[in-house]
Amino acid sequence: MGTALAYSVDNVNLGLMRFSTRSIPGDNAEGGMIAHEIAPIGDSRASITDRLNAFQPQGFTPLSETLYEAGQYLAGRAVDYGLDSLIEDGMSFPSVPESRVPANQAQYQSPIQFQCQRNFVVLLTDGEPTADNSADGRITSLPGFGDAVGSDCDGTGAGRCLDDMAQYLYEGDLSPTLPGRQNAVTYTIGFGPDVAGSTFLEDVARRGGGRAYAADNVENLTSVLQSIFAEVLQGGNTFTSPAVSVNAFNRTQTTNEVYLSLFQPGENLRWAGNVKKYGIRDGRIVDATGSDAIEAGTGFLRSGSRSFWTPGGEPDGNRVEAGGAVSRLPSAAERNVYTYIPEANQRDLTNPANAFAATNAALDAARLNTASAGVDPVELINWARGVDVLDQDGDGDVSETSRLMGDPLHARPALVAYGGSTSSPDSADSVVFVPTNDGMLHAIDARTGVELWSFIPPQLLGRLVDLYRNPVSPTRSYGLDGDVRVLKFDINQDGIVDPAAGDRVWLFFGMRRGGNHYYSVDVTRRSAPVLRWMRGPGELPGIGETWSTPTIARVRVGGATQNGENIVLIFGGGYDDAQQNYQYTTDNSGHRVFMIDAASGNLLWYAGGPGGTGSPDLELDDMTHSIPGRVVALDIDGDAYADRMYAADMGGRIWRFDIWNGRGRDELVTGGMLATLGGGSTGATGIENNRRFYYAPDVALIQRRGAEPYYNLAIGSGYRGHPLHTETHDRFYSIRDRNPFTKLTQAQYNAATPLLDGDLVNITPTPSQTAVASNAPGWKLELTLNGGWSGEKILAEALTVEGTILFTSYQPVAASALDPCVPSNGINRAYALRVDTGRAAIDFNDTGIIDVADMSTQLAQTGIAGSVSLIFENVNARDGEGTAPPGADELGRRGLCTIGPEILQRCVAPGSVVRSYWRRVADEGGGD
């Protein structure tokens, strides 16, 4: 006998099926029946339990016939095997609940009611199919079977169509009247020795988009069911912004590859993560088969898609932990995992002194913080390397490899191309670098997806024991959670990294909420990483949580020891946890701007406000709030050295700095407030005015015929720390710096009056009509266009392209009792506004007229969308007349605007790309 659990998730609905018990002389039991309709589990728990307890073990195992009947039920089609099965079960139609079989006794009522509903079938059996072929013709005749599966079943013998039926449920559309594609995922459980390890059931689950499990006793069966239900309850996948590799042989183009880092939120301390590779074709993100990888209605990965690195031809779809780089992790014994042991003073991470392995005596209980937890250090190390010491799959084997990767919650992958050729630049010797919240920086071969090595900073070794224990946690814990910045020296610009010729590749990254350190790793030899330096509070006075992604620039500091090219890193002071408080508050850390030598990590200069540690070179009384965003550095005179910096802080201020190259550190930089747009400087510190800038302004030089040029700063406010907060009145700002090429003395900065919120033209009431004069200081858009103050906010950087500002917003929305597909955690929008006027720039609604209705378009994805990224699809071949393909420029490039995995159907056509590079290699002197 066997049982099928039909499981539909929408705050949880559960149903029950069983195989037929019909026993007619000369005939076998056929098909299966709905023993209990799918219903909210809170209302039906007792009745499902009673019916399950009443089952008697008898009959054959008509798996494909029963799965076919499950499909009939889910799709709301004709009752077939269920008619005879119900009678044999002792139930006549007058006694059958109307919700199970309607009054016409011929049509099921589909339980699929909403477009976002996720549907599952759990097929439990104690044997492989027997007497199971009467549905073969029915299955191959199902609507759309040929499109989803093929012309016929590909198996032989009893149940030969079972795996095909599972694929049909997964790839087909069970409710064409609803938007999107409504499918069902099939899991299989082989219960007992006769079916344990069945390769056939594994094929069924694989083609059905689910997993195959085995259980040999009630305890194991209970554990398996709990694992399945936990997985289906996790919901969809979530993304950070995509990474696109740049063509190393033509810097004006990107390659047709995209890398998505994914994460899966959960209730426990440890979250699942992954990195997956896809292609770009004809303005779409495609999977390894060339099919659409993204589900149009959700903005998430399509359930039947298969990422490029996934082995065995299996679809990994929208399962975060399936396929991708996780599936290609080497075995625990073969992984190259490194840390850094300071007292050994071996910067080469491949040195045995830095091995993160049980053989390294330096990794003792004190360093790993295991004594108080009662955990064996060796067991912890083996677990972190990938040994299944916790028996994750319940098979009793605690020595096999368990492939796990932490979540890259806020980290976007960084890519480095090491080699290849002009004709074939894609993935050739390229490496994907991605930090994750298990505390590791992963180096992944971009061609194969295999991890080359990973690095755990010493500051995070003591946290591993908490991840190992993995308790339920109401608060999030972080490891390495920020973006990686890459500095690549290619001396002869041949696209190939040649260490012997002096080429260098250095990585720079912080910890974001994981801590207060920055790191630099030399990855010139992609499989031989070298730690260049670590810098934290001891070297960076007043540093907060290291959120600010370093900006690479060139600055000459008089009297300082610098590398030969004067390359520096510039970053904000980070985040002060005091900002988790809703009310207005000043900070004691993070209210800094730092400049350090890129080669040595040594501090060259910093600015800061009152309080905290250290004595800033430039002390500014109003710099009282932390600066978590990056710092924008510009070369305003074309001499290849940075002359200008802009930064924004958590108090709603925008800062401008001028760099006087060649002066000593006490005179190197002058600066002050360009604008103050929150409540701090005006005294209006109520919650409605407590606007925060988590991100840097996007700075673009605007020059119109007959008008003076200016730098336009595009930035929006929003409470990233509490995105569901609704009390603050957030805005988007377009501010004009009218002195783009003129440096100011400190006395001039001190005497200047910063712009206020009220100084800017408010385009909100009539955005399609309000005039913004050419000499105006800028404009603002109050985020009230969609029904008053609703908590809509800006949680990502803006992007200015061809005079159009592109940015995303997030609006928290409560769940709808009538339609659960209204996102309970928020709505994302993409805006496209003209720099000069703030008016709509793109015909988003495709009416042929650009008006106020086109100011934004709603995105399919839920969660919090990232920033808009501009990528170039290399369309390659031109037509026979020598012209570029449709939508491409004369170089054969098609510009695409992506937000996470979602590509905007309409966007801005980008103009020319400026090529820039350094010709000489940096001298490595001046640091440890």
Side-chain angles (χ1 to χ4, degrees):
M1 55 95 49
T3 301
L5 289 171
Y7 190 75
S8 174
V9 175
D10 180 20
N11 284 335
V12 176
N13 302 320
L14 186 67
L16 184 67
M17 290 185 69
R18 68 156 298 155
F19 303 155
S20 172
T21 61
R22 187 160 60 100
S23 180
I24 301 174
D27 193 5
N28 293 318
E30 289 187 327
M33 62 180 180
I34 307 297
H36 195 291
E37 74 276 16
I38 291 178
I41 194 170
D43 301 330
S44 59
R45 188 188 309 271
S47 57
I48 289 177
T49 301
D50 290 344
R51 183 148 291 276
L52 186 60
N53 288 334
F55 284 175
Q56 295 297 317
Q58 64 185 86
F60 293 90
T61 48
L63 299 180
S64 66
E65 296 165 2
T66 302
L67 192 59
Y68 160 80
E69 193 74 13
Q72 294 295 97
Y73 175 45
L74 291 170
R77 298 184 182 131
V79 182
D80 197 334
Y81 292 109
L83 295 172
D84 291 338
S85 298
L86 286 168
I87 295 172
E88 183 63 26
D89 197 42
M91 299 182 70
S92 61
F93 280 112
S95 67
V96 176
E98 185 177 344
S99 59
R100 287 170 55 189
V101 179
N104 62 15
Q105 302 180 4
Q107 200 82 12
Y108 283 119
Q109 293 178 355
S110 172
I112 301 177
Q113 299 175 287
F114 305 104
Q115 68 182 64
C116 63
Q117 191 166 322
R118 303 173 63 234
N119 311 290
F120 303 86
V121 175
V122 182
L123 192 64
L124 169 63
T125 179
D126 62 357
E128 294 196 359
T130 58
D132 189 26
N133 291 107
S134 72
D136 291 358
R138 294 174 169 91
I139 290 173
T140 57
S141 299
L142 285 167
F145 180 86
D147 295 332
V149 182
S151 60
D152 198 4
C153 300
D154 58 5
T156 60
R160 75 183 191 92
C161 287
L162 178 59
D163 51 349
D164 302 275
M165 184 65 207
Q167 182 177 344
Y168 175 78
L169 293 178
Y170 187 50
E171 298 283 1
D173 190 353
L174 301 177
S175 185
T177 59
L178 289 175
R181 184 170 58 88
Q182 311 306 314
N183 68 344
V185 175
T186 299
Y187 289 81
T188 63
I189 304 175
F191 184 52
D194 293 340
V195 75
S198 167
T199 57
F200 182 55
L201 291 181
E202 290 177 356
D203 288 341
V204 172
R206 176 182 59 81
R207 293 181 65 179
R211 292 189 186 185
Y213 291 86
D216 55 10
N217 56 50
V218 172
E219 181 180 353
N220 286 347
L221 177 60
T222 301
S223 177
V224 164
L225 288 170
Q226 289 174 338
S227 296
I228 293 173
F229 291 165
E231 181 172 331
V232 301
L233 280 170
Q234 283 183 335
N237 42 53
T238 310
F239 305 85
T240 64
S241 296
V244 180
S245 56
V246 175
N247 185 337
F249 305 95
N250 185 348
R251 305 297 292 181
T252 65
Q253 292 183 349
T254 55
T255 65
N256 291 347
E257 299 170 333
V258 63
Y259 302 84
L260 299 175
S261 52
L262 300 85
F263 62 91
Q264 179 64 67
E267 295 182 352
N268 295 76
L269 194 64
R270 195 170 66 238
W271 289 9
N274 207 341
V275 179
K276 298 188 181 185
K277 175 182 174 181
Y278 297 91
I280 302 173
R281 183 184 300 170
D282 299 328
R284 302 173 297 129
I285 295 179
V286 298
D287 69 358
T289 70
S291 302
D292 284 328
I294 307 301
E295 195 80 64
T298 66
F300 287 147
L301 290 170
R302 184 173 59 84
S303 58
S305 62
R306 176 168 62 87
S307 60
F308 279 80
W309 295 330
T310 302
E314 301 182 9
D316 49 321
N318 55 10
R319 290 180 292 160
V320 169
E321 78 288 357
V326 167
S327 68
R328 305 295 292 172
L329 283 173
S331 68
E334 295 173 330
R335 284 186 73 182
N336 299 310
V337 185
Y338 310 122
T339 186
Y340 176 67
I341 305 300
E343 56 268 29
N345 197 29
Q346 296 289 335
R347 299 286 176 163
D348 180 357
L349 295 181
T350 65
N351 188 291
N354 295 320
F356 184 81
T359 55
N360 191 343
L363 298 177
D364 55 16
R367 197 180 300 271
L368 295 175
N369 194 32
T370 57
S372 60
V375 175
D376 180 2
V378 172
E379 184 174 301
L380 175 65
I381 292 170
N382 288 337
W383 169 82
R385 290 182 60 88
V387 177
D388 189 16
V389 298
L390 301 177
D391 193 17
Q392 304 269 7
D393 56 9
D395 64 358
D397 188 349
V398 295
S399 62
E400 61 189 3
T401 296
S402 175
R403 290 182 168 86
L404 298 172
M405 181 182 287
D407 64 283
L409 180 59
H410 297 105
R412 175 164 49 184
L415 294 106
V416 176
Y418 285 82
S421 64
T422 304
S423 60
S424 181
D426 292 12
S427 292
D429 296 324
S430 297
V431 178
V432 182
F433 296 98
V434 60
T436 56
N437 275 309
D438 54 3
M440 294 187 181
L441 172 70
H442 300 268
I444 300 166
D445 187 294
R447 180 175 55 84
T448 64
V450 174
E451 181 190 75
L452 301 173
W453 51 266
S454 58
F455 166 62
I456 309 173
Q459 289 78 14
L460 292 173
L461 291 174
R463 175 176 171 267
L464 290 173
V465 68
D466 293 330
L467 295 175
Y468 170 82
R469 296 166 65 189
N470 197 29
V472 173
S473 177
T475 57
R476 188 73 179 100
S477 177
Y478 301 85
L480 294 179
D481 194 39
D483 287 345
V484 175
R485 184 71 78 218
V486 177
L487 176 60
K488 180 179 176 180
F489 297 94
D490 185 359
I491 301 303
N492 59 8
Q493 292 292 297
D494 64 354
I496 299 173
V497 176
D498 182 3
D503 293 348
R504 296 289 184 268
V505 181
W506 296 343
L507 305 182
F508 308 104
F509 56 97
M511 305 174 78
R512 206 171 184 275
R513 294 221 68 182
N516 52 14
H517 280 72
Y518 280 100
Y519 304 90
S520 176
V521 178
D522 187 329
V523 293
T524 304
R525 293 174 173 84
R526 67 180 205 148
S527 295
V530 176
L531 179 68
R532 293 197 60 81
W533 46 258
M534 302 183 298
R535 293 293 181 264
E539 300 81 20
L540 304 171
I543 191 74
E545 295 174 357
T546 48
W547 288 42
S548 182
T549 303
T551 295
I552 300 170
R554 298 177 72 204
V555 175
R556 291 192 309 272
V557 184
T561 301
Q562 293 183 259
N563 62 75
E565 284 293 324
N566 303 125
I567 298 176
V568 301
L569 301 181
I570 302 171
F571 48 88
Y575 187 72
D576 189 320
D577 198 61
Q579 290 298 327
Q580 291 299 105
N581 181 0
Y582 288 100
Q583 303 301 322
Y584 178 87
T585 183
T586 57
D587 297 327
N588 288 315
S589 68
H591 53 318
R592 300 281 191 267
V593 173
F594 293 99
M595 183 186 300
I596 67 174
D597 185 84
S600 67
N602 291 339
L603 181 63
L604 298 173
W605 171 91
Y606 76 107
T613 59
S615 299
D617 300 293
L618 175 60
E619 187 163 347
L620 300 168
D621 291 342
D622 290 318
M623 190 174 279
T624 56
H625 286 77
S626 52
I627 301 176
R630 69 183 179 95
V631 177
V632 179
L634 302 174
D635 173 12
I636 64 175
D637 58 11
D639 66 350
Y641 284 83
D643 308 288
R644 175 71 48 77
M645 298 185 292
Y646 295 96
D649 70 21
M650 298 294 286
R653 300 180 186 87
I654 297 176
W655 297 87
R656 180 188 129 151
F657 302 91
D658 291 318
I659 302 173
W660 304 79
N661 280 279
R663 295 185 181 181
R665 60 186 295 175
D666 58 337
E667 297 181 334
L668 181 68
V669 179
T670 56
M673 280 190 293
L674 176 66
T676 178
L677 307 168
S681 297
T682 63
T685 57
I687 192 68
E688 68 278 5
N689 294 309
N690 194 15
R691 288 178 283 278
R692 297 168 164 92
F693 293 136
Y694 277 79
Y695 297 92
D698 180 65
V699 184
L701 179 63
I702 305 298
Q703 188 163 11
R704 305 300 189 199
R705 185 181 299 274
E708 293 294 323
Y710 62 88
Y711 278 126
N712 193 80
L713 282 69
I715 190 170
S717 66
Y719 200 178
R720 178 82 200 208
H722 294 282
L724 301 183
H725 175 70
T726 60
E727 295 180 59
T728 300
H729 295 174
D730 285 305
R731 291 135 160 81
F732 186 85
Y733 297 98
S734 179
I735 296 171
R736 300 168 182 179
D737 182 351
R738 293 291 180 182
N739 294 297
F741 308 125
T742 302
K743 294 182 181 181
L744 303 180
T745 66
Q746 193 56 47
Q748 289 174 313
Y749 271 113
N750 293 341
T753 301
L755 291 172
L756 301 178
D757 180 89
D759 297 330
L760 303 172
V761 178
N762 187 358
I763 67 169
T764 312
T766 54
S768 62
Q769 300 173 11
T770 302
V772 180
S774 60
N775 62 350
W779 52 263
K780 66 181 178 182
L781 174 68
E782 297 176 341
L783 297 178
T784 60
L785 293 182
N786 299 287
W789 295 110
S790 58
E792 187 176 3
K793 53 184 64 69
I794 308 301
L795 299 180
E797 276 194 35
L799 175 67
T800 305
V801 181
E802 291 294 296
T804 296
I805 305 173
L806 302 165
F807 61 95
T808 58
S809 75
Y810 173 82
Q811 179 185 347
V813 178
S816 169
L818 299 177
D819 185 358
C821 296
V822 173
S824 59
N825 55 356
I827 292 173
N828 293 288
R829 297 182 177 90
Y831 285 80
L833 306 180
R834 295 291 183 192
V835 169
D836 297 314
T837 63
R839 296 177 184 177
I842 295 174
D843 184 14
F844 277 133
N845 58 13
D846 203 22
T847 62
I849 300 173
I850 300 178
D851 56 20
V852 68
D854 293 300
M855 294 191 72
S856 69
T857 182
Q858 186 170 325
L859 302 177
Q861 59 192 286
T862 56
I864 298 175
S867 58
V868 180
S869 298
L870 177 64
I871 63 178
F872 292 97
E873 178 187 2
N874 183 6
V875 187
N876 295 320
R878 305 180 182 191
D879 64 27
E881 301 300 321
T883 58
D889 64 13
E890 68 279 2
L891 298 178
R893 306 169 306 166
R894 178 187 288 120
L896 303 173
C897 292
T898 69
I899 302 170
E902 195 169 348
I903 295 180
L904 292 179
Q905 294 303 304
R906 291 184 173 274
C907 198
V908 179
S912 60
V913 178
V914 178
R915 183 179 183 183
S916 63
Y917 52 86
W918 286 298
R919 271 290 184 186
R920 291 177 292 146
V921 67
D923 175 55
E924 295 182 33
D928 50 351

